Amino acid sequence: MKRFFAIFTLVAAALAIAACSDKKKENAEPQGPAVVVTLSESELTLTKDQTAQLTCKAEGLGDGAELFWRSQDAGIVTVKDGLVTPVAGGRTQVIAGWHQYRDTCDVFVDVPLEGIVLNVEERELKLGKTFKMKASGSPEDFTDSWDLKWSSSNTSVATVDEEGVVTGLAEGDAVITATVGSVSASATIKVREKISALVQTAANIKGIYFELPRNWVSNQTVLTFECLMRGDAFKGGNGSAVNSLFGVEGYWLLRIGDVAPLADNQLEVAGGNWQTQAKFDAGEWYHLAVVWDYPNRKGYLYLNGELLEEHNISAQARIAGTNSQKCRIGASYLDGSTNNRYFDGAVAEMRVWNVVRTAEEIAEHMYEYDTEELGTAGLLAYWKFNEGEGNTVADHSGHNHPVTSIGGDITWEDVALP
């Protein structure tokens, strides 16, 4: 027994020595001459219409060793056999080498700012009200510093602060100018006691939503939904990051963005299996109308009063809600998270009909529907979102379906549409 234990001890010691020896081998410097990789340039500055040829020198490699080339961000530059080709403005690195032996070149694609785009060219502003001007650079991938300055040509009529917020002080016209370096753009603000815009107030509902009772309506064989809407950010990317506008999760829901192939800013009629071709630009106002004609198995999508596309449908529009999923404005799939698929933007003139609205009716009444003159036949609900204060939105259809914000306060905005 003692002999066996002695043999076992010797074997264990030998294995330990071997393991230690192997570990030393792993940590040892590679045998043979050192490999040194060097690029012909350590940094490059290019314009979008330029290319550059890099060469890579590798010392200590045998014949036949193949070097790799890679761009750290192929959205800025691509590289093939050392030829660097710009794609968009920005900074990145080109990497070349063999296995862990490599060198890098810092690449800057210089795209000058050519112009400034404002969210309005001309608009009326009610006396005493404010309006936020927005400016963006052109082209979108410019690399110049964005040191934006605002100015007013007539500060007795309208002032503008450093954030672009214009305040109407007296009746008259003022030119508001945005300037970055030597580049500028201007818009005319007409301050008036009374303005001609049909829609002057809208509700920003980011982070909040509205809920309707489960049986507020029955399931509809025909339905027309209309709304003025402005999306300020489109999250997309996965099923929990959509922007929900109106409807019932899992049954019939208008939402923007979902899993691929739907784009972040693309409209989907979920529950109707309709991935529409409608796409929205952030910060832009649109009139959206969806007509659901189940008896004739047809769906129609209108954008800004024009028919965009038709779709074959096979189910009714279920907006009555269920025990677990109510009909909501501005959210869906409430799972207790901070997201809840909120709509990030503003709405106005939201109407729900139980009739098929014609193309002419939709185009004629995008911004206003006079119930006193035209009646309320077919209207299920009509939320103008024009209160300007408070958190309850009245229903002008005559069916008494007011809605109150949940999760926070409505942010009321002064707008001028059209």
Side-chain angles (χ1 to χ4, degrees):
M1 184 67 180
K2 290 183 179 180
R3 184 180 180 186
F4 173 80
F5 181 78
I7 294 173
F8 175 80
T9 302
L10 288 172
V11 171
L15 289 173
I17 293 171
C20 182
S21 176
D22 288 343
K23 188 173 182 180
K24 287 182 178 179
K25 288 180 181 178
E26 290 174 0
N27 294 330
E29 292 294 326
Q31 300 299 310
V35 177
V36 179
V37 175
T38 308
L39 283 173
S40 55
E41 303 288 344
S42 61
E43 59 181 39
L44 287 173
T45 297
L46 303 172
T47 62
K48 284 180 71 173
D49 58 355
Q50 291 179 315
T51 60
Q53 181 66 55
L54 294 175
T55 59
C56 183
K57 182 180 179 182
E59 299 178 352
L61 287 181
D63 295 338
E66 294 186 5
L67 300 178
F68 71 83
W69 291 90
R70 185 171 72 246
S71 170
Q72 196 173 56
D73 189 341
I76 296 177
V77 298
T78 60
V79 60
K80 183 177 181 181
D81 297 328
L83 181 64
V84 181
T85 303
V87 177
R91 294 183 182 274
T92 189
Q93 285 188 328
V94 167
I95 307 167
W98 182 80
H99 293 282
Q100 73 268 34
Y101 307 103
R102 58 189 64 189
D103 194 13
T104 61
C105 175
D106 295 324
V107 182
F108 173 57
V109 180
D110 185 19
V111 179
L113 178 69
E114 297 177 1
I116 296 174
V117 180
L118 300 178
N119 56 336
V120 295
E121 295 180 359
E122 178 181 295
R123 77 157 273 167
E124 291 180 318
L125 179 62
K126 194 170 183 180
L127 182 63
K129 296 294 186 178
T130 62
F131 169 68
K132 185 174 177 61
M133 298 273 289
K134 295 181 181 180
S136 58
S138 175
E140 293 183 355
D141 61 339
F142 74 90
T143 53
D144 287 346
S145 176
W146 184 250
D147 185 18
L148 182 66
K149 305 294 185 183
W150 294 95
S151 62
S152 170
S153 66
N154 192 340
T155 55
S156 64
V157 170
T159 58
V160 58
D161 68 13
E162 60 184 11
E163 299 297 326
V165 177
V166 181
T167 302
L169 301 178
E171 285 200 305
D173 296 351
V175 177
I176 305 299
T177 301
T179 303
V180 177
S182 61
V183 181
S184 64
S186 299
T188 300
I189 302 297
K190 299 177 177 292
V191 181
R192 302 289 186 268
E193 177 67 35
K194 294 183 179 180
I195 65 175
S196 60
L198 296 176
V199 179
Q200 301 176 23
T201 304
N204 191 312
I205 60 173
K206 178 180 179 180
I208 62 174
Y209 66 96
F210 307 85
E211 192 169 88
L212 289 151
R214 184 168 67 88
N215 294 318
W216 76 285
V217 292
S218 60
N219 291 327
Q220 303 302 308
T221 58
V222 294
L223 176 74
T224 298
F225 173 87
E226 296 181 79
C227 182
L228 288 168
M229 52 80 69
R230 185 196 72 217
D232 292 332
F234 301 111
K235 297 162 286 191
N238 61 71
S240 64
V242 299
N243 282 353
S244 301
L245 183 59
F246 174 85
V248 183
E249 176 71 34
Y251 293 89
W252 195 90
L253 176 67
L254 299 177
R255 66 188 187 187
I256 302 167
D258 199 353
V259 295
L262 205 72
D264 294 358
N265 63 339
Q266 188 173 352
L267 178 71
E268 178 182 34
V269 186
N273 299 317
W274 184 5
Q275 293 186 343
T276 78
Q277 298 304 306
K279 293 183 179 180
F280 307 102
D281 292 330
E284 295 293 325
W285 279 98
Y286 297 87
H287 181 271
L288 170 67
V290 178
V291 177
W292 205 256
D293 186 359
Y294 178 67
N296 293 304
R297 304 300 192 270
K298 282 291 184 182
Y300 304 91
L301 171 64
Y302 296 85
L303 206 59
N304 296 332
E306 297 185 0
L307 179 63
L308 183 65
E309 63 181 273
E310 299 181 17
H311 182 72
N312 295 324
I313 64 175
S314 59
Q316 296 184 38
R318 298 182 60 182
I319 60 172
T322 66
N323 287 328
S324 60
Q325 294 293 342
K326 303 293 192 300
C327 185
R328 299 183 178 100
I329 300 168
S332 67
Y333 196 67
L334 302 182
D335 59 359
S337 73
T338 57
N339 179 41
N340 292 324
R341 304 184 180 184
Y342 289 129
F343 180 80
D344 188 347
V347 294
E349 288 293 309
M350 186 178 291
R351 310 171 203 140
V352 184
W353 308 76
N354 63 0
V355 295
V356 172
R357 296 281 284 172
T358 67
E360 292 75 15
E361 290 171 331
I362 289 170
E364 186 176 356
H365 301 291
M366 288 192 297
Y367 298 97
E368 183 181 50
Y369 183 83
D370 191 335
T371 55
E372 292 186 4
E373 179 183 342
L374 301 172
T376 59
L379 262 179
L380 293 175
Y382 181 10
W383 303 289
K384 289 179 175 287
F385 287 97
N386 68 346
E387 281 74 9
E389 61 181 7
N391 292 312
T392 297
V393 181
D395 174 22
H396 297 267
S397 71
H399 294 299
N400 193 29
H401 296 307
V403 290
T404 300
S405 66
I406 300 174
D409 297 330
I410 301 171
T411 300
W412 296 101
E413 297 184 359
D414 291 311
V415 298
L417 303 172

